[in-house]
Amino acid sequence: MIKFEEVSCRYPAFEEGEETATALSGVSFKIEKGSFVAIVGHNGSGKSTVARSINALLLPFEGKILVASMDTAQSDLLWKIRSTAGMVFQNPENQIVSAIVEDDVAFGPENMGIPVKEIRTRIDEAMNATSVYDLKEKSSAQLSGGQKQRVAIAGVLAMKPECIIFDESTSMLDPRGRRDVLDIMKKLHEDGTTIIAITHFMDEAVKAERIMVMKQGQLISDGTPAEIFSCPELIKEAELELPAAVRMRMLLQDRGIDVPADILDMEALADWIAAQRSDDGDNN
């Protein structure tokens, strides 16, 4: 689905005479169709540069990026690439273009030249999938931050991309809004959409099938959540924090309680503790 081949990217200097900043340096990886991948890293690690490069918002000065076998450097493929790999940005205000919710969701398909009847179907499906159908006649200005982000996701969904990149899409939301967006990601993945989540929330990253860890423009580790979070030294090197459930699991293990290593989120940990209490009760 997505392939980076020794990709290096630079940002232009702000002032004449300044050196250009290297954001990615020789990064290579593949993401298979239907995957759910989280890309994590500290600020300035290059994770958002990866996201923007997939969507052809940035072009590499070295290497090659392929999206569904299309080279992002080919300008004539730009629209098709962005239709294949949709992007949900950090701030939904930057993505909402119409005053009315329904019109905003329709904006993408209309610009793709989709027939009117098909647009109607896509709008309804996208708004139902993101639970914003009841908001369709509301003004975008009346919505909460979480509602705006769900509308932004609906607008991307209506274009039916094969892949959706969530670039720090939950960072400006409250806990409930983050849960809503994560639930949408999970459902889309179950329906076969390739999901790429750029995040610095480790409790979100554990929901993915695979985690890629970035530092100073390089990919320093790549594996399952269990593999990544079994190595606290790696997380420290990347200037990140372990998920809350992993920290709790380590504290319990220090006290002689053997918690399975595949328990990575608080819900799973709570279920495991409840099961132990139930077993103790049965034994008594």
Side-chain angles (χ1 to χ4, degrees), residues 257 271-284:
I257 302 173
D271 289 343
W272 182 85
I273 292 172
Q276 306 316 299
R277 287 173 60 86
S278 177
D279 290 344
D280 289 344
D282 293 341
N283 291 333
N284 290 332

Side-chain angles (χ1 to χ4, degrees), residues 77-90:
L77 296 176
L78 188 60
W79 179 250
K80 192 170 182 181
I81 288 169
R82 291 179 181 168
S83 299
T84 301
M87 177 90 80
V88 180
F89 295 96
Q90 180 180 35

Side-chain angles (χ1 to χ4, degrees), residues 9 25 52 69 74 79 89 99 101 103 109 114 117 122 124 134 139 144 170 222 231-232 234 250 279:
C9 290
S25 180
R52 286 164 168 74
S69 300
Q74 291 187 239
W79 179 250
F89 295 96
V101 167
D103 293 342
I114 304 297
K117 187 176 180 180
R122 290 192 182 199
D124 291 345
D134 292 343
S139 165
S144 67
T170 64
D222 187 348
C231 186
L234 168 68
M250 293 170 68
D279 290 344

Side-chain angles (χ1 to χ4, degrees), residues 51-257:
R52 286 164 168 74
S53 298
I54 294 171
N55 201 242
L57 293 172
L58 291 173
L59 298 179
F61 74 88
E62 288 180 352
K64 180 184 289 188
I65 301 169
L66 300 176
V67 176
S69 300
M70 295 180 287
D71 191 336
T72 61
Q74 291 187 239
S75 57
D76 59 320
L77 296 176
L78 188 60
W79 179 250
K80 192 170 182 181
I81 288 169
R82 291 179 181 168
S83 299
T84 301
M87 177 90 80
V88 180
F89 295 96
Q90 180 180 35
N91 186 351
E93 298 279 3
N94 296 336
Q95 201 156 353
I96 292 176
V97 296
S98 300
I100 303 301
V101 167
E102 187 174 46
D103 293 342
D104 193 81
V105 177
F107 182 81
E110 286 174 347
N111 281 275
M112 293 171 67
I114 304 297
V116 174
K117 187 176 180 180
E118 173 67 12
I119 290 176
R120 180 71 264 165
T121 300
R122 290 192 182 199
I123 292 171
D124 291 345
E125 288 177 348
M127 289 193 297
N128 280 316
T130 53
S131 301
V132 296
Y133 189 85
D134 292 343
L135 304 175
K136 65 179 182 178
E137 296 179 0
K138 280 191 171 290
S139 165
S140 303
Q142 295 177 307
L143 305 181
S144 67
Q147 289 171 331
K148 287 178 181 178
Q149 195 61 287
R150 283 188 279 136
V151 170
I153 296 170
V156 173
L157 276 182
M159 294 188 286
K160 291 190 176 294
E162 295 178 37
C163 169
I164 299 181
I165 307 151
F166 292 82
D167 186 14
E168 302 273 14
S169 303
T170 64
S171 64
M172 298 179 66
L173 304 180
D174 60 22
R176 179 177 177 180
R178 288 204 296 270
R179 284 195 302 271
D180 288 346
V181 173
L182 283 170
D183 286 345
I184 292 170
M185 288 186 201
K186 182 179 178 181
K187 184 179 184 302
L188 290 172
H189 173 239
E190 289 171 350
D191 291 342
T193 304
T194 305
I195 301 295
I196 301 173
I198 313 297
T199 183
H200 60 267
F201 293 119
M202 298 303 101
D203 291 310
E204 295 181 5
V206 299
K207 306 295 185 183
E209 297 174 323
R210 170 185 173 193
I211 298 177
M212 297 164 52
V213 184
M214 303 288 299
K215 182 182 179 182
Q216 296 179 348
Q218 295 184 318
L219 180 61
I220 64 170
S221 192
D222 187 348
T224 66
E227 290 169 340
I228 296 297
F229 293 123
S230 67
C231 186
E233 296 81 8
L234 168 68
I235 301 304
K236 184 177 181 180
E237 178 190 350
E239 300 180 73
L240 300 170
E241 291 187 355
L242 289 167
V246 175
R247 298 198 303 271
M248 181 63 73
R249 188 186 76 204
M250 293 170 68
L251 289 172
L252 290 170
Q253 288 173 333
D254 288 344
R255 287 156 177 77
I257 302 173

